[in-house]
Amino acid sequence: MALNGFFDFFQREKTFRPKKRFTQGTIRYSLHKHAQASLQSGINLREVVKLPPGENKNDWFAVHVVDFFNRINLIYGTVSEYCNETTCPTMSGGSRYEYLWADGHLYKKPTPLAAPKYVELLMDWIENQINNEQLFPVSTDVPFPKTFVSLCRKILTRLFRVFVHVYIHHFDRIFSIGAEAHVNTCYKHFYYFVQEFDLISSKELEPLAEMTSHICKD
């Protein structure tokens, strides 16, 4: 199952629309198109995530962070109707894992929240980061901040938690609409990318370790 048609499929399911686009004619746009062109049936996803020769790693990171944000936003949209304060009173991944929210502003200390509130705050927070041109510069004249890679780690780690919640608590919904192949392929792409550049700790990846060992074999 290729990622071609991913956005069309999930938008037919009345999900969230992607919130971030790349400006045509920029290096970032070109890299985005390069990455998309590689995501075709039969392509080895382990190879697709590798940094293209001669390209800037930070640009490559920026393209993928935005793309994964858009994709995971859409995936969550397919289950959001079933993810509410009653069904999901905590942002959890089964009985062993619960995620607390802190943003240093409204929530200065790690706070337990219902899953939909956690995801809403998370997506808003990420959108604010990637739309901040001091953090995610759109011009080659503006250097990436020294904290850029650590920010990418934080964003991707938090996005992974959405995968955890969807897979463990809402995969029946994903299966019922025939989206499991799309979601699995997106997850594999995400997993191989963070593994290639060591962007998420093994401890954070533990909740889906068993599933990952089955679907990430190629």
Side-chain angles (χ1 to χ4, degrees):
M1 172 61 66
L3 286 174
N4 295 354
F6 180 97
F7 289 112
D8 290 341
F9 179 90
F10 283 98
Q11 283 167 359
R12 284 200 303 273
E13 293 300 322
K14 299 179 181 178
T15 60
F16 300 166
R17 284 198 167 278
K19 297 183 177 182
K20 177 71 175 179
R21 301 281 186 185
F22 297 103
T23 303
Q24 193 165 353
T26 63
I27 291 175
R28 205 73 52 75
Y29 180 83
S30 298
L31 280 176
H32 171 68
K33 287 300 181 183
H34 171 90
Q36 294 304 302
S38 299
L39 293 173
Q40 298 172 2
S41 182
I43 295 294
N44 185 335
L45 288 173
R46 286 188 190 274
E47 295 301 315
V48 165
V49 299
K50 294 183 183 298
L51 180 68
E55 298 295 350
N56 180 286
K57 184 184 285 188
N58 285 342
D59 280 321
W60 193 237
F61 281 11
V63 163
H64 282 80
V65 166
V66 171
D67 196 41
F68 289 136
F69 164 70
N70 285 336
R71 291 181 188 279
I72 294 169
N73 215 352
L74 286 170
I75 289 170
Y76 182 74
T78 65
V79 305
S80 60
E81 182 182 349
Y82 304 87
C83 184
N84 54 58
E85 292 189 0
T86 302
T87 61
C88 303
T90 61
M91 180 59 180
S92 59
S95 59
R96 291 180 56 197
Y97 302 95
E98 179 180 355
Y99 301 117
L100 308 180
W101 179 255
D103 55 22
H105 299 289
L106 289 175
Y107 297 86
K108 297 188 186 308
K109 296 181 179 180
T111 305
L113 296 172
K117 184 63 175 178
Y118 184 105
V119 176
E120 177 190 354
L121 291 170
L122 169 58
M123 295 304 181
D124 286 346
W125 174 78
I126 295 175
E127 188 174 21
N128 286 335
Q129 307 304 304
I130 62 180
N131 286 334
N132 183 335
E133 295 184 12
Q134 296 302 310
L135 300 176
F136 275 71
V138 296
S139 169
T140 53
D141 297 333
V142 180
F144 284 92
K146 292 180 180 179
T147 57
F148 181 71
V149 174
S150 63
L151 176 59
C152 289
R153 288 180 189 276
K154 190 169 186 177
I155 291 173
L156 293 168
T157 296
R158 287 179 163 182
L159 281 175
F160 178 77
R161 295 170 181 177
V162 181
F163 269 129
V164 172
H165 186 73
V166 168
Y167 268 114
I168 293 178
H169 294 281
H170 299 293
F171 200 72
D172 55 341
R173 164 64 179 167
I174 296 294
F175 187 81
S176 73
I177 62 172
E180 68 276 12
H182 289 276
V183 175
N184 285 347
T185 301
C186 182
Y187 176 75
K188 288 169 69 174
H189 185 207
F190 180 94
Y191 177 78
Y192 288 144
F193 181 78
V194 300
Q195 286 290 92
E196 172 71 15
F197 299 103
D198 191 24
L199 292 170
I200 299 182
S201 72
S202 57
K203 183 178 180 182
E204 282 283 348
L205 293 171
E206 278 178 10
L208 296 181
E210 184 176 355
M211 183 203 75
T212 302
S213 69
H214 289 294
I215 71 171
C216 296
K217 294 179 179 179
D218 56 353

